[in-house]
Amino acid sequence: MHLKLNISILILSLLLLQTGTDDFRSRVIFKKQKVTKWALRSYQKHFNGKCLELEIKEVTVYAFSIENFKRSPEEVDTLMTLAREKFAKVMEEKDKLMEKGVKLQVIGNIKLLPEDLQKSIADAVILTKNNEKSVLNVAFAYTSRDEITNSIKTIAEGINEQDLEADDLNHSLIDQCLYTRQCRDVDLLVRTSGEMRFSDFLLWQTQSTVFYFTEALWPEFTLWHLLAAIFYYQRCYIRTKILKSYFQEKTPTISDNKRVVNFLSKVDKQRYQELVEIQKSRVV
Amino acid sequence: MNFSLLKLLWIIAHLLADVLETIFYFGLEFRENFFNFIKKYTKSSWNHDSSDQRHQIELHLKNIKKIPKHLAVILNADSEKDIDLMQLTNLVDWSLISGVNFISFYDYKGILKNQLASSFHKFIQQHCTNNTDNENIVWGLNFQHMTDNDGIKFPHRNGFKRHIVVNIYSSEDGHEKFDQLLRRELLSDKGSSGKTVDCSKFTIDYIDEELSKLYGQMSDPDLTVYFGNICCTMGFMPWQIRLTEFIQISYKLRTLSLDKYLKVLYKYAKCEQRFGK
């Protein structure tokens, strides 16, 4: 029972699901841009630092789904401009970021984004890649189905280049080729605004994740809501531990297969190389 | 405030929650035993009257605007005794009347699929024939070894008869299904057409199609109901649940009732999907 009370052991990675900014529109009518800014500010106000204090090592936010490209062009433009500003600010405050040891990762199909945004993402990711204290994953141009498809494609390339053989194919290889390959397991998923679905977010990674719903809209979400979510997670802790160990037994281990390990490190290198190329393309 | 003081408060909150939870459990047990006790002595009046239930559901259906096409049930079960086949049969029965086309039962350990499948099959056949036409129940792929059919056999569309496809799943049908997909896609191709696999063919639609071949004819679950206080997919169909609504139906399988089922349908009907817009 005492384990249940120790916050620092339990929360390794916490995941927040943001429905987007239009949750707020339904209740209060504001200018769209204003709302988005508000949402970002609320993130800064309540999360930067707080999660570290609570010893939450990893936070993932769903910022922009591939499906969101379906919104009106002006709205997409506004969101992109905001993202640009945000990443530019990250670079401005890079000393602070490095001092805090925050590792920033962007998960998603960033090739779908405007080129200049890709560059600023690459800049920020490469800059912080060696930080270890805490991790902030931003899901940008992300859907889980796209991620799984991409993972299968990566494996297919591995087969074509004869890095992999028939015996190596299993679902834990898919797991290892996802965008979240470097992330910890997700323990808690928070969904705001009273919705009760995943909306194509981390479907593959959440088999033993506790799903927490809250009626609060994202801009209203405060530290108290976060604490309530953590409390709920701790109440469910024993159950999730059973699930986790069950699934772990079922997952084939690939760490002792040398061929697969080599293949994965090659994938890592390739992905890093792609980022470097995006970063360099600015000079041209 | 001092940090250790906060920690102490946190611990006290947990203890309080423990106490409340225990009281709640006792209350639940007590209520159940109490009703069972009454049921025993007044057997005739407490028996499930199926035509009455049908009537009740039909009355409510007039107010419910949206019915899930595919209902999935995640069972929070660790052993056989956690699964009450009678309640599951009730769920099939109610869903059939409400117009649900697919119902899937999932427990991560595969107790239902591996140990109870044949008794579940018999159970449904026995109980549902009383109320509804047996022809209306179509057995899903995981029942095939019992019904000796190849593929899902849909009834002929004579008249306006409804049907429901009943299926059972375990964690083998979740992530592990992708093992099959990988082998099929990457190895069979290689053998037939020479050396390389065409990587560009892997699009979301393509994988969706290939997976649906493995799962048999099925639409993505629209609504998933779960038991207990923990909402977790437990590895249920990672590809298909992207737009599925998760709603708690009851605390325990044993305490499930028609009222609770209808409440979930009402709640589902209120959900609005925006598809990214």
Side-chain angles (χ1 to χ4, degrees):
Chain A
M1 195 58 107
H2 67 281
L3 258 179
K4 226 166 153 184
L5 309 170
N6 193 339
I7 312 173
S8 55
I9 298 178
L10 301 185
I11 298 132
L12 287 170
S13 68
L14 171 86
L15 192 129
L16 293 152
L17 188 59
Q18 179 196 356
T19 331
T21 45
D22 65 4
D23 300 333
F24 217 64
R25 276 204 312 245
S26 53
R27 269 201 220 168
V28 193
I29 299 164
F30 277 109
K31 267 191 181 168
K32 284 170 200 166
Q33 197 178 348
K34 212 170 174 183
V35 178
T36 319
K37 269 191 181 153
W38 192 356
L40 280 174
R41 207 175 304 140
S42 114
Y43 176 80
Q44 277 175 312
K45 204 166 138 197
H46 299 295
F47 285 87
N48 285 2
K50 291 274 177 9
C51 284
L52 262 180
E53 272 168 44
L54 289 169
E55 300 196 37
I56 297 168
K57 290 275 189 284
E58 189 157 348
V59 178
T60 306
V61 275
Y62 199 6
F64 193 79
S65 151
I66 294 179
E67 302 281 321
N68 291 147
F69 280 117
K70 285 187 199 158
R71 293 188 182 190
S72 69
E74 304 102 64
E75 207 174 335
V76 174
D77 270 355
T78 320
L79 285 166
M80 291 298 152
T81 318
L82 269 168
R84 258 173 224 133
E85 281 172 20
K86 199 69 206 157
F87 279 105
K89 213 173 168 200
V90 165
M91 291 312 281
E92 268 171 36
E93 294 175 354
K94 59 183 171 190
D95 298 335
K96 224 167 147 189
L97 210 64
M98 298 307 277
E99 192 190 314
K100 277 188 182 166
V102 180
K103 181 178 177 181
L104 186 79
Q105 292 189 111
V106 175
I107 56 172
N109 198 344
I110 58 168
K111 297 240 163 87
L112 298 173
L113 298 170
E115 268 179 34
D116 58 324
L117 188 55
Q118 282 185 34
K119 279 172 207 158
S120 34
I121 287 175
D123 279 342
V125 173
I126 290 172
L127 175 76
T128 60
K129 74 178 167 47
N130 291 326
N131 288 349
E132 270 173 355
K133 255 189 203 158
S134 73
V135 185
L136 173 64
N137 301 309
V138 182
F140 217 88
Y142 175 90
T143 61
S144 200
R145 284 191 172 188
D146 178 69
E147 185 185 25
I148 297 169
T149 309
N150 186 58
S151 177
I152 293 173
K153 225 186 243 173
T154 312
I155 295 169
E157 279 159 13
I159 286 275
N160 280 348
E161 282 165 29
Q162 288 172 340
D163 294 329
L164 291 171
E165 278 175 25
D167 298 340
D168 308 332
L169 297 179
N170 55 45
H171 61 276
S172 76
L173 191 60
I174 296 188
D175 203 52
Q176 290 299 315
C177 293
L178 297 173
Y179 297 131
T180 53
R181 111 165 211 77
Q182 316 238 358
C183 304
R184 293 177 177 83
D185 284 346
V186 184
D187 293 315
L188 174 65
L189 191 143
V190 178
R191 174 88 207 216
T192 53
S193 68
E195 304 286 0
M196 292 160 295
R197 57 177 174 269
F198 283 82
S199 299
D200 224 334
F201 188 44
L202 301 186
L203 301 174
W204 185 275
Q205 296 90 333
T206 46
Q207 53 182 353
S208 56
T209 301
V210 177
F211 198 11
Y212 177 78
F213 312 106
T214 168
E215 286 292 326
L217 304 174
W218 173 248
E220 296 172 338
F221 196 88
T222 61
L223 180 67
W224 293 105
H225 291 101
L226 179 68
L227 286 177
I230 291 169
F231 193 78
Y232 172 71
Y233 166 71
Q234 290 179 331
R235 307 295 310 167
C236 302
Y237 177 66
I238 292 172
R239 184 83 193 131
T240 44
K241 214 178 153 195
I242 295 170
L243 283 173
K244 225 172 237 172
S245 61
Y246 179 82
F247 288 122
Q248 243 158 29
E249 267 172 39
K250 279 238 159 189
T251 317
T253 44
I254 46 176
S255 53
D256 43 357
N257 183 340
K258 231 178 176 184
R259 205 168 37 229
V260 175
V261 174
N262 285 341
F263 167 70
L264 290 175
S265 64
K266 193 178 162 188
V267 170
D268 276 343
K269 259 184 219 155
Q270 242 168 25
R271 286 187 185 170
Y272 180 67
Q273 203 53 44
E274 272 170 25
L275 275 180
V276 172
E277 268 161 35
I278 292 173
Q279 193 187 25
K280 274 185 189 160
S281 63
R282 174 186 299 177
V283 190
V284 183
Chain B
M1 229 191 295
N2 198 327
F3 190 66
S4 58
L5 188 65
L6 279 175
K7 228 171 187 173
L8 187 73
L9 280 175
W10 192 260
I11 291 169
I12 291 171
H14 264 295
L15 286 175
L16 257 170
D18 278 341
V19 172
L20 288 176
E21 218 170 58
T22 320
I23 294 173
F24 181 70
Y25 268 122
F26 268 116
L28 218 68
E29 286 291 314
F30 176 75
R31 223 182 79 168
E32 204 182 319
N33 289 337
F34 182 69
F35 277 120
N36 281 342
F37 180 76
I38 293 181
K39 254 190 221 172
K40 245 186 198 168
Y41 286 92
T42 53
K43 225 174 188 172
S44 56
S45 61
W46 278 84
N47 255 352
H48 280 302
D49 191 345
S50 53
S51 64
D52 202 42
Q53 279 191 350
R54 172 177 284 268
H55 184 66
Q56 200 183 339
I57 295 174
E58 274 163 4
L59 262 179
H60 280 281
L61 280 182
K62 282 177 199 153
N63 302 325
I64 301 175
K65 283 185 193 125
K66 190 169 73 169
I67 293 288
K69 223 178 142 193
H70 184 169
L71 171 72
V73 182
I74 293 184
L75 300 164
N76 197 351
D78 280 322
S79 64
E80 273 185 45
K81 69 174 184 351
D82 293 334
I83 296 177
D84 183 348
L85 293 181
M86 187 64 223
Q87 291 286 27
L88 300 189
T89 311
N90 279 338
L91 272 172
V92 173
D93 201 13
W94 299 333
S95 303
L96 182 56
I97 300 169
S98 323
V100 175
N101 297 120
F102 298 88
I103 185 164
S104 305
F105 295 97
Y106 175 83
D107 72 286
Y108 71 103
K109 279 190 176 169
I111 302 165
L112 192 61
K113 187 179 159 190
N114 300 328
Q115 292 154 34
L116 296 171
S118 56
S119 41
F120 186 40
H121 187 262
K122 266 186 217 152
F123 224 84
I124 296 180
Q125 266 180 336
Q126 265 171 19
H127 288 268
C128 289
T129 39
N130 300 336
N131 326 332
T132 52
D133 199 336
N134 194 24
E135 218 183 75
N136 290 344
I137 288 171
V138 183
W139 302 101
L141 277 181
N142 285 336
F143 279 111
Q144 294 305 311
H145 57 283
M146 263 168 283
T147 47
D148 10 278
N149 292 331
D150 300 322
I152 300 176
K153 209 173 163 190
F154 285 93
H156 297 293
R157 282 191 168 270
N158 47 347
F160 292 100
K161 263 182 195 164
R162 285 209 188 105
H163 67 260
I164 188 164
V165 181
V166 183
N167 216 342
I168 40 181
Y169 296 103
S170 71
S171 63
E172 289 161 14
D173 304 295
H175 294 70
E176 286 172 46
K177 209 79 176 175
F178 280 80
D179 292 1
Q180 280 177 43
L181 182 86
L182 279 183
R183 290 217 180 88
R184 209 166 92 172
E185 289 305 317
L186 303 182
L187 299 180
S188 62
D189 240 39
K190 213 181 167 193
S192 61
S193 69
K195 277 167 196 159
T196 53
V197 187
D198 176 20
C199 290
S200 61
K201 74 175 179 184
F202 294 112
T203 59
I204 294 175
D205 292 333
Y206 178 77
I207 287 174
D208 198 36
E209 207 174 285
E210 292 302 311
L211 270 178
S212 69
K213 280 181 201 160
L214 289 175
Y215 279 98
Q217 216 166 350
M218 179 189 83
S219 66
D220 291 350
D222 301 299
L223 169 65
T224 295
V225 294
Y226 63 94
F227 296 88
N229 57 356
I230 163 167
C231 179
C232 177
T233 68
M234 304 191 190
F236 176 65
M237 297 192 189
W239 180 268
Q240 286 91 342
I241 53 163
R242 68 182 180 132
L243 297 171
T244 310
E245 305 281 346
F246 283 75
I247 300 179
Q248 188 204 43
I249 187 161
S250 129
Y251 214 73
K252 275 180 176 176
L253 184 57
R254 271 184 297 161
T255 55
L256 178 66
S257 64
L258 178 58
D259 290 341
K260 285 177 183 163
Y261 179 78
L262 287 169
K263 226 179 240 172
V264 168
L265 285 190
Y266 273 111
K267 209 169 171 188
Y268 172 74
K270 268 193 208 156
C271 295
E272 181 204 351
Q273 300 239 348
R274 289 183 301 267
F275 305 104
K277 286 184 186 168

